[in-house]
Amino acid sequence: GAGVSQSPRYKVAKRGQDVALRCDPISGHVSLFWYQQALGQGPEFLTYFQNEAQLDKSGLPSDRFFAERPEGSVSTLKIQRTQQEDSAVYLCASSFSLTGGGYTFGSGTRLTVV
Amino acid sequence: DAKTTQPPSMDCAEGRAANLPCNHSTISGNEYVYWYRQIHSQGPQYIIHGLKNNETNEMASLIITEDRKSSTLILPHATLRDTAVYYCIVRRMDSSYKLIFGSGTRLLVRP
């Protein structure tokens, strides 16, 4: 596609519910990133994939957060037993390579946990 | 990656140049300066990046001081659509793939 697509655009979850957020990167982009952005803050790094390999998951806040990219294209960020502090916008970005230029971000999924 | 310091907010009049400063006094020789912006309800958008020479593209110009400890992003003719949060990020190109965002500068372009 022309850009990075994320779905759903908005998600309301009851506390304790599991959620899955989807990211469709630009075709051919090998690098994929997930970021979490709390209201009024800059985005914070969660995890990074190069193709299907998850090379860095140092930013995942707890073991309730899990990300996968099984075929090196679409990625899913899963949050188990959601809590109110998980409420944020979750951004996905992709890049053709690690070097040069910038990353392309999607518009994000706004998760609200009630 | 080196830390950056930006003013929390700025404003400018439509049609005038917007000059957004960034301090990165601890930058090292192999670190680039990147600028992104984030318009309300959208993901961050890449604007420009540079190492030590000034850079210009269709969106903006990047002026980096000779000692590389600070830089300025210039939007030559700001429009209302340039109202956004602007992030200055310092990043190594070789192995540090992460973008570390700070709080950015909230630019308001006034009609």
Side-chain angles (χ1 to χ4, degrees), chain A:
Chain A
V4 176
S5 178
Q6 293 188 246
S7 60
R9 188 76 173 88
Y10 302 94
K11 175 69 178 178
V12 177
K14 291 185 178 179
R15 191 171 55 181
Q17 185 179 352
D18 297 349
V19 298
L21 312 180
R22 177 186 169 104
C23 173
D24 281 87
I26 293 173
S27 179
H29 278 196
V30 301
S31 298
L32 186 145
F33 305 82
W34 284 98
Y35 282 79
Q36 179 190 59
Q37 186 171 25
L39 189 64
Q41 305 294 317
E44 293 196 1
F45 171 80
L46 292 177
T47 187
Y48 160 67
F49 289 86
Q50 186 171 351
N51 295 306
E52 68 278 4
Q54 188 175 19
L55 299 186
D56 186 344
K57 52 183 180 179
S58 62
L60 296 176
S62 77
D63 58 8
R64 296 185 297 104
F65 286 71
F66 172 76
E68 60 183 7
R69 194 187 185 197
E71 297 179 357
S73 55
V74 171
S75 177
T76 304
L77 176 67
K78 297 179 179 178
I79 309 173
Q80 297 177 323
R81 304 181 303 281
T82 53
Q83 300 177 6
Q84 282 193 314
E85 60 262 32
D86 299 335
S87 295
V89 174
Y90 290 86
L91 295 161
C92 176
S94 71
S95 173
F96 179 74
S97 70
L98 293 177
T99 61
Y103 303 145
T104 302
F105 281 81
S107 295
T109 294
R110 179 177 296 277
L111 173 65
T112 303
V113 181
V114 297

Side-chain angles (χ1 to χ4, degrees), chain B residues 37-111:
Chain B
R37 74 180 182 183
Q38 189 171 24
I39 295 169
H40 183 63
S41 297
Q42 297 182 22
Q45 176 191 23
Y46 166 78
I47 302 173
I48 199 167
H49 75 284
L51 182 62
K52 54 183 178 180
N53 297 320
N54 298 337
E55 302 287 344
T56 296
N57 63 20
E58 65 278 4
M59 290 182 69
S61 294
L62 173 60
I63 308 299
I64 303 175
T65 58
E66 192 169 339
D67 63 8
R68 301 208 326 122
K69 294 185 176 183
S70 65
S71 61
T72 301
L73 179 74
I74 301 172
L75 307 178
H77 306 287
T79 71
L80 298 180
R81 288 176 294 181
D82 292 322
T83 291
V85 178
Y86 287 77
Y87 296 99
C88 170
I89 300 165
V90 172
R91 170 182 170 255
R92 294 200 321 265
M93 196 68 86
D94 52 354
S95 61
S96 180
Y97 44 81
K98 285 185 276 194
L99 294 173
I100 308 296
F101 290 83
S103 299
T105 295
R106 186 172 299 277
L107 175 68
L108 173 64
V109 180
R110 295 176 280 101

